[in-house]
Structure formats: structure tokens, C-alpha cells
Amino acid sequence: MKHSFPLCFGLAAAMVLLGGCSFRVQVQGYRSPEATAPMNPGMSVHLQAEVDTYAGSCPVAGDELTRMITELLTERGYEFAPKESADLIMVYSYDHVGYKGRVRFEPQTGPTGGMKTVGKGGPYKHSLWLRAIDAGKFMESGEEQVVWAGSASLEAAPTGSARFVAMLLVAAFEDFPGNKDEIVTRKMYLSDSRIVALGY
């Protein structure tokens, strides 16, 4: 217990230092030319997480991710409704992978030999995926006609911190619902006031 204060202080100091560092987030947004539904402020949206979002693949809980997306869509003039009456269904997913976690076992030297489990560690790749589908078509026929799809990713985050989740969301929603076929690189800072406003 006597080490808890120095440890907390050290972690806090590290996050302050990281706040001043810039990170290159890759962002893409694409409007489907085949979609008949528009994608405009004032439309109603139903949020739907992919199953893995609630299975520990995101550094924040599923309901916390939902809260942040809700805030960002509300700021852009979108409303929310049950799936049965919504104009759009936004499906979202988030994943972060520690590069050292990709190898689960490695040979163990010494008298016992055998294999040992390798702990998950950084650097981390953070990835966010979003897609808005026509809710009317989905409710009528089960067809997932994509109206807009977007993504954001960061290849080498130093930690698996939840603050990077907020960073990717802010980057993805910066010009939502933008239409860029090419990937755009955005320079982001953890100290960005928009990230702080999301609670991080």
C-alpha cells in the first residue's frame, strides 16, 4: 500500500506527458452511392454495438463507448430512436491489440523447458469502425444497405488507455458524415479539449 501514491503519481505524470505528444490517426469516411437514404442532421439513429465490443476488445465498457458516440452525434444534430422507428442504424466496433499479445506462447528455457504464456503488451493498435445502414430496409427485409461507413486507427499507441478511444472517436467524427475515399491522417493530441469534454 505504501507504494500506491508514487505509482499513481507516476502514471498521472506519464499521461500528462503523453497529452503533449502528437499522434497520427488514420481516418476514412465513405458515403455509398448506391444508398437511397440520406445522411443528414435531424435524422433519427439507433445505436447498435457489434458483439465483440461488449466482450473486452475495447478499453472501455460497451455502455461507455455508446455514451461517447451518443454525445458526438447529438452535437451534430442527430436524434435517437428505437430500431423499429429510426431512420438509420449505426453499428460500431472497437478493437485494441497489443503487438506483444499476438504471440500467446513461446519456448521457455531452463530445466523445466516447455512453453510459457506471453503477456499482452504494447505498443497497441487501436481501431474504430462505424457504419450507418438504412433502418427502413433492414426492418423490411433484413438487408444491410450501408449509407455511410467510417473508420479511425492508430498504429502505435504507447498504452491501451481509454483516452485513445476518445481520441479515435473525436478524429472519426471531426467532419462526420464526411465522404473521403482516401485515408486522411489527422494529427491529434490527448490534451485536445474535445477529448477532455468526453470525460478523458
Side-chain angles (χ1 to χ4, degrees):
M1 184 64 70
K2 64 181 180 180
H3 298 294
S4 61
F5 177 74
L7 178 60
C8 292
F9 180 78
L11 290 173
M15 292 311 292
V16 168
L17 290 173
L18 283 174
C21 298
S22 64
F23 297 91
R24 296 167 63 86
V25 179
Q26 308 293 316
V27 179
Q28 192 168 21
Y30 173 74
R31 288 199 192 200
S32 172
E34 291 84 20
T36 54
M39 185 80 185
N40 300 319
M43 297 180 73
S44 59
V45 180
H46 173 76
L47 296 178
Q48 179 175 306
E50 296 279 15
V51 174
D52 62 351
T53 303
Y54 288 91
S57 62
C58 182
V60 301
D63 57 352
E64 179 67 1
L65 181 58
T66 302
R67 176 192 66 80
M68 289 190 280
I69 294 174
T70 299
E71 289 187 17
L72 290 166
L73 283 173
T74 300
E75 288 173 3
R76 283 150 186 79
Y78 290 85
E79 300 173 354
F80 298 90
K83 184 185 292 187
E84 296 76 17
S85 57
D87 298 312
L88 302 164
I89 300 171
M90 176 166 282
V91 184
Y92 54 94
S93 182
Y94 197 100
D95 189 28
H96 80 306
V97 176
Y99 286 118
K100 292 178 183 176
R102 291 181 177 174
V103 179
R104 300 305 300 274
F105 300 96
E106 68 180 24
Q108 180 172 319
T109 58
T112 56
M115 305 290 284
K116 67 177 179 179
T117 302
V118 177
K120 190 173 183 179
Y124 292 86
K125 178 177 180 180
H126 288 254
S127 302
L128 166 72
W129 296 275
L130 303 160
R131 70 180 188 276
I133 64 175
D134 185 327
K137 284 189 176 294
F138 181 78
M139 296 307 297
E140 289 172 11
S141 63
E143 177 188 356
E144 284 199 12
Q145 185 180 81
V146 176
V147 178
W148 176 89
S151 65
S153 64
L154 176 60
E155 288 289 337
T159 73
S161 169
R163 293 180 72 180
F164 289 104
V165 180
M167 174 186 283
L168 263 64
L169 285 168
V170 168
F173 279 94
E174 190 165 295
D175 59 358
F176 177 84
N179 186 26
K180 294 181 173 63
D181 290 339
E182 75 281 1
I183 295 175
V184 175
T185 300
R186 297 208 168 109
K187 185 184 286 188
M188 303 291 295
Y189 295 86
L190 286 175
S191 57
D192 190 309
S193 60
R194 297 169 296 175
I195 295 172
V196 175
L198 287 176
Y200 291 93

